[in-house]
Amino acid sequence: MAPRANWKGFLRLSLVTCPVALYPATSESEKISFNQLNRATGHRIKYLKVDADTGEEVPNEDIVKGYELDKGQYIEVTKEELENVALESTRTIEIDEFVDRSEIDPRYLIRPYYLRPDGKVGHDAFAVIREAIREMDKVAIGRVVLTNREHIIALEPLDKGLMGTLLRYPYEVRDPKEYFDEIQDVKVTKDMLDLARHIVDQKSGSFEPDKFEDQYETALIGLINQKRAGKPIVPKDRPKGENVVDLMDALRKSVGGAAAMTEAPKKSAKKAAKLAAGQKEMLMPIAGKKPTKEAAAKKPTAGARRKSA
């Protein structure tokens, strides 16, 4: 079953309109998460919304949004007033223009969504819009309101649907000069560049997400399994950084190392593919106890998988 839609409304290209629903394309619910506990009692920590001056708890119905004009001075804005800021994009994604995908700077990309027809009507209009974008090999740019904010959204065909990627506004992207201006201008010699290119050639391949393992998630699962089984936790030695004295020597050694790594990648790729399928590696039962068929099919316990407080 598909998750609940984050947004429902209409997709419009000129006079062609169809009802659509927007769904999150990614999920992090499979990742290990922790609760905060009171070390002394083992009980969960609970957060309360309290008045900063009186210290008294405030019920949700008495909490309103406020914009701070000056220190301690706020303008209150009610939910009804926010809803009255009626933008067309609140209910309709109007396609404003079409651009080449290569023109969209990766820094502007936020997160992907899936867009599909909502209900049994409008499939014809949706298909016309989708195939027009596909035929022209363009990305459609529109606007949509999510979480009380208007976002730019880039739409492109994906199978039978559309993928919509939220984009940042220019004021949200920091100027790289603030970070890069102090980088020294270094002249790279031809010999160094040739060696570096050789390393790149040896490591070149195709991007296959299934090859990658979330090593931190796997390590967390191992840690929890060890603690459940009552095994001692032995700290691992942290890798030590080494100062590069001779860059040419380091490049030459890297060439040899890259060659060795490319000789037998199949075994590690197979292992990574096995673990990477949605990171569904389960928390194992305590050693010595046989798992039931039901327990083997279940996900990790709620205590270990619950979201952080």
Side-chain angles (χ1 to χ4, degrees):
M1 179 193 279
R4 195 169 71 176
N6 280 28
W7 179 92
K8 289 188 177 185
F10 298 89
L11 175 63
R12 184 163 65 207
L13 173 60
S14 190
L15 298 179
V16 180
T17 305
C18 61
V20 292
L22 197 68
Y23 298 85
T26 59
S27 170
E28 295 194 356
S29 61
E30 294 295 319
K31 288 189 173 183
I32 293 284
S33 58
F34 295 98
N35 295 308
Q36 291 185 323
L37 307 176
N38 181 339
R39 188 195 297 272
T41 64
H43 300 156
R44 282 190 63 182
I45 299 298
K46 182 179 178 181
Y47 288 93
L48 302 176
K49 296 178 180 179
V50 299
D51 187 299
D53 290 336
T54 67
E56 296 178 357
E57 185 178 356
V58 182
N60 285 334
E61 60 268 22
D62 290 339
I63 297 176
V64 297
K65 293 181 182 292
Y67 176 79
E68 189 172 25
L69 281 178
D70 209 345
K71 188 67 176 177
Q73 293 185 339
Y74 301 90
I75 291 181
E76 292 184 8
V77 182
T78 67
K79 181 181 178 182
E80 292 72 25
E81 287 170 336
L82 287 173
E83 289 174 350
N84 286 334
V85 183
L87 296 172
E88 180 70 14
S89 51
T90 302
R91 291 289 296 156
T92 302
I93 299 175
E94 175 82 42
I95 296 177
D96 297 323
E97 60 179 348
F98 296 87
V99 302
D100 291 334
R101 182 69 178 81
S102 60
E103 293 180 353
I104 301 177
D105 189 321
R107 292 175 299 170
Y108 286 80
L109 305 178
I110 301 179
R111 71 181 69 89
Y113 287 85
Y114 293 144
L115 194 73
R116 73 177 192 187
D118 184 27
K120 297 181 179 180
V121 299
H123 286 249
D124 290 346
F126 182 87
V128 168
I129 296 172
R130 180 195 65 213
E131 293 310 308
I133 302 172
R134 197 193 306 271
E135 179 69 22
M136 298 299 292
D137 194 23
K138 297 280 189 178
V139 175
I141 303 295
R143 297 170 185 269
V144 63
V145 171
L146 286 173
T147 60
N148 296 322
R149 291 280 186 174
E150 185 180 57
H151 299 270
I152 308 167
I153 187 167
L155 301 171
E156 50 190 317
L158 182 64
D159 296 330
K160 294 192 294 183
L162 290 170
M163 183 179 75
T165 305
L166 297 189
L167 304 179
R168 294 181 174 89
Y169 287 98
Y171 70 84
E172 297 178 280
V173 179
R174 292 176 174 173
D175 188 345
K177 291 181 180 178
E178 298 178 31
Y179 308 91
F180 300 158
D181 273 358
E182 295 181 6
I183 297 177
Q184 297 177 11
D185 292 324
V186 176
K187 184 175 178 59
V188 180
T189 67
K190 183 180 181 303
D191 289 344
M192 288 183 178
L193 192 56
D194 286 343
L195 283 169
R197 282 174 177 162
H198 193 59
I199 297 169
V200 173
D201 285 339
Q202 289 178 321
K203 288 179 170 287
S204 292
S206 300
F207 179 65
E208 299 174 32
D210 287 346
K211 290 193 303 186
F212 297 98
E213 172 195 352
D214 187 340
Q215 296 180 352
Y216 185 72
E217 186 79 359
T218 303
L220 282 179
I221 291 170
L223 171 65
I224 293 172
N225 282 333
Q226 283 183 282
K227 293 185 75 71
R228 289 180 67 189
K231 295 179 180 178
I233 306 301
V234 181
K236 294 182 179 179
D237 293 333
R238 292 183 179 272
K240 297 178 180 178
E242 297 180 1
N243 292 326
V244 178
V245 178
D246 188 330
L247 185 55
M248 283 295 291
D249 185 52
L251 285 168
R252 290 191 187 98
K253 288 180 179 178
S254 295
V255 169
M261 288 179 65
T262 55
E263 287 177 1
K266 292 183 179 179
K267 188 174 181 182
S268 58
K270 205 171 190 181
K271 177 189 173 187
K274 183 178 178 182
L275 294 173
Q279 290 299 331
K280 295 186 184 298
E281 184 80 4
M282 297 301 166
L283 295 174
M284 305 304 292
I286 296 175
K289 293 186 179 181
K290 292 185 177 180
T292 63
K293 290 182 179 179
E294 293 80 4
K298 283 183 180 178
K299 288 189 174 185
T301 59
R305 303 286 289 195
R306 236 181 247 156
K307 289 196 175 288
S308 301

